[in-house]
Amino acid sequence: MPRNLPAWLGVGVVLTVCIGCRPAASGTRDVQVDLTVNPSPPLVGDAEVSLTLTDAGGMPLQGADVRLEGNMNHAGMKPSFAELREVEPGRYAGTLQFTMGGDWFILVMAETPDGKTVQRKIDVRGVRSP
Amino acid sequence: VNSTIQEPQRALDRPPPRQRRRASFDVLRVPGLGRFLRWRGSRTALQVPVLAISLLMIAHAFWGPQLAPKNLAALLTWVHFRGLVVLVLLLGGNLFCMACPFMLPRDLARRWFTPQWAWPRVLRNKWLAIGLFVLVLFAYELFDLWSSPWWTGVLIVTYFAAALIVDSLFHRASFCKYVCPVGQFNFLSSTLSPLEVAVREQGICGDCRTKDCIRGVQGAVNNTADLKAGRQLPIVQRGCELALFQPRKVGNLDCTFCLDCVYACPHDNVGILARLPAEQLAISGTRSGIGKVERRFDFTVLATIFTFGALLNAFAMTSPVYAVEQWLATMTGLRIEWPILIGLFTVGLVLEPAILLGTAALSTRVFVRSRESLLAIVNRFARSLIPLGFGVWLAHYGFHFFTGCLTVIPVAQNAALQTFGWPLLGAPLWQLGGLPESVVFPMEVGFLGLGLLGSWMVAWSIAGELAPRRAWRGFAPWALLHLLLFSTALWIMMQPMDMRGTFLGG
């Protein structure tokens, strides 16, 4: 058995894992999700969030069940949750708490009356500490 | 497995450096635990579960959700592993190296491959490991490793591959001693640990003629042909692969707690003994497998990078660093991060230490009227930085660990749910976090305070050795330097955490 076989095996494992196993992006794209946060740029504390859902034709999606989950991009932080209520056709509003300064992302999970599920990840960068 | 390092006989004749031994407590004599650790399979028994967790982390890094707070690789690496490592080092010893999963594949590989080469003489120092340590710190900031499960997985796999390749090609524990940046971190930190692998009674070693603790135990002669041919018999129990000869070993530097010396000693004269944390830093003189730390510039740089790197790593997670980066970007017109990061690293790890250590050394030389060169004085006092540096790492990693220790529960529950399609571990309890910041902050201050005290005690001892009648004068500049670094660390810890993975919108 060649002496440097372990070295080549190691390199092979690294390359295989790195090149072959990167997960592909997923998510449906037929629903438009627009999120606004107030104040902007956001501050640590409660923020007013407004979310608009529109279909591929630009028509508002009404009657959806919309939930948000806010996470920091650093592991080890407790997430924040919010349930939004529809304040006008296709527009949903609520309050989400940013517990720390830094980069956040919000996971939008919505279920429309016809059973369609929408999931999006929206980055909220640079939440400021007061 | 080869382990044939030999120390000159004259090493036994020299008195060991001054170190008070408190042998009243020996972990190996604790009922149950001691028996387990004295069992030769104990290290493997500790490594196997850590390896299993590592494989789970690798799988989740590449096939799990690419969201750091929901990924076991990112969470366990950057919150739990780092936090537990520093806490175990503080309360016990270098137990991570003892249970190191990277050594298991290499031990397995060495059943079939015998390393052929000795580690190159030019690399028998800490320079390569220092370079890799800085590289990891730099990559952590540049690639936002804490927010990327995929890159975290690449890092873990690369680590396994590097350990396997290096130790498959080179004799003994070359990876641990000369390459591994985590190992160097643990070696320096374990100088503050209350436990040490050490000789129980020096007198017994004085009478020992086999030196199995360093040479290893050879198999018994089982035929006269071997005896007549003078063939070297196989090693059935390794001696210390890091070239630490127990009777001359001082402290925990370069010790992986592998316990090979415990198993090899025919006199059962090696234990895991209690000692005063940081005491070994106050000791000068030749140390087995290391030489004189106070004359090794690579150790000086390692201790400096360890301490100033702790400050830089913590500073990089606060709001002001982004203001500094934005200011630098505006001043230079740069719209990419790496040159700005190189600038910050150059200031934080080269210019600032050079100015501060140089000024302290110059002041000491003037105050005590020493004829030593500035570099010699810096080399002497550099190890006094280690307690404070460890205090900063403790405060930083302790913050993440204590505020997020319970998040592993919902993340593991979620991982099981995603993998098996049903809540094997129960529905994710996302409300679990950790201790509130208001509780953790006093602990951070306590860690920093302990570090400052430790640095002062070591510096005082070194100053007394340099100038016994002018110890205060030699001590004062370094005490001020430590106070400055402590104040900086305290200021950093008081800043609002601002854990960003983005800069310049990138």
Side-chain angles (χ1 to χ4, degrees), chain B residues 139-150:
Chain B
Y140 181 78
E141 305 300 342
L142 185 64
F143 299 116
D144 312 320
L145 293 181
W146 67 86
S147 64
S148 170
W150 192 83

Side-chain angles (χ1 to χ4, degrees), chain B residues 44-60:
Chain B
T44 308
L46 292 170
Q47 287 171 316
V48 167
V50 181
L51 177 68
I53 293 171
S54 303
L55 294 176
L56 196 69
M57 288 162 65
I58 291 170
H60 215 225

